[in-house]
Amino acid sequence: MLNIVLVEPEIPQNCGNIARTCAATGSRLHLIRPLGFDISDRAVKRAGLDYWHLVQVQDYESLPDLFAQHPEAGEELWLATTKAPQDYTQARFTPDSWLFFGKETAGLPEWFRTAHRERCIRLPMRREARSLNLSNSVVILTYEALRQNGFPGLTGTGEMAE
């Protein structure tokens, strides 16, 4: 199962959109604290996130906490960053890949990017554009990882009337 990791996300709407992507694709969502919003049951219900029950969400105190609980994440990780030397089309995702995304205002920590330089990937864009929206970046990489693996567990047909 694909794993989406948000490191210190700040904007609740982005997390909501990403959670919806996880619900639609069967991906797990991992959140690294601190969070810029409340994910309690009460807050989720108040926000009207009627798909939240379809998302497997786990939160962690830090990146080391995530790796302590999921050592396998270190074997199949990919870090999304505008600073990456390679673009995402060079990545070979597995069905169990872990896709890491940084907070909206600062991205992933430099120490983490440096430690995994060969696993850093970027979305090509114009030099003048700072970055894409976090939720857009997540959906692009999620669907590329799923495409590379034949869209496991997802329906391949629609129901268009003739």
Side-chain angles (χ1 to χ4, degrees), residues 45-88:
K45 286 177 185 167
R46 189 172 57 242
L49 302 179
D50 59 344
Y51 50 83
W52 195 257
H53 68 284
L54 297 174
V55 185
Q56 293 182 37
V57 182
Q58 190 170 354
D59 64 305
Y60 308 85
E61 290 303 316
S62 63
L63 278 168
D65 183 28
L66 176 135
F67 287 109
Q69 293 185 48
H70 296 284
E72 71 278 11
E75 298 168 23
E76 289 296 330
L77 76 159
W78 294 98
L79 285 62
T81 174
T82 59
K83 298 161 180 63
Q86 63 182 333
D87 72 63
Y88 77 97

Side-chain angles (χ1 to χ4, degrees), residues 97-160:
S97 287
W98 291 71
L99 308 180
F100 287 79
F101 300 86
K103 64 182 169 182
E104 292 88 342
T105 58
L108 291 167
E110 184 176 0
W111 67 265
F112 188 52
R113 287 184 280 119
T114 301
H116 301 286
R117 181 180 172 78
E118 73 288 351
R119 304 297 277 191
C120 289
I121 54 176
R122 65 180 159 71
L123 295 165
M125 66 187 78
R126 295 173 57 183
R127 183 175 305 278
E128 302 83 18
R130 187 177 72 245
S131 64
L132 288 172
N133 176 275
L134 177 62
S135 61
N136 292 336
S137 297
V138 170
V139 80
I140 290 168
L141 292 181
T142 297
Y143 271 92
E144 174 60 14
L146 293 168
R147 183 196 67 78
Q148 287 185 18
N149 290 282
F151 297 105
L154 303 180
T155 182
T157 59
E159 298 180 25
M160 244 175 117

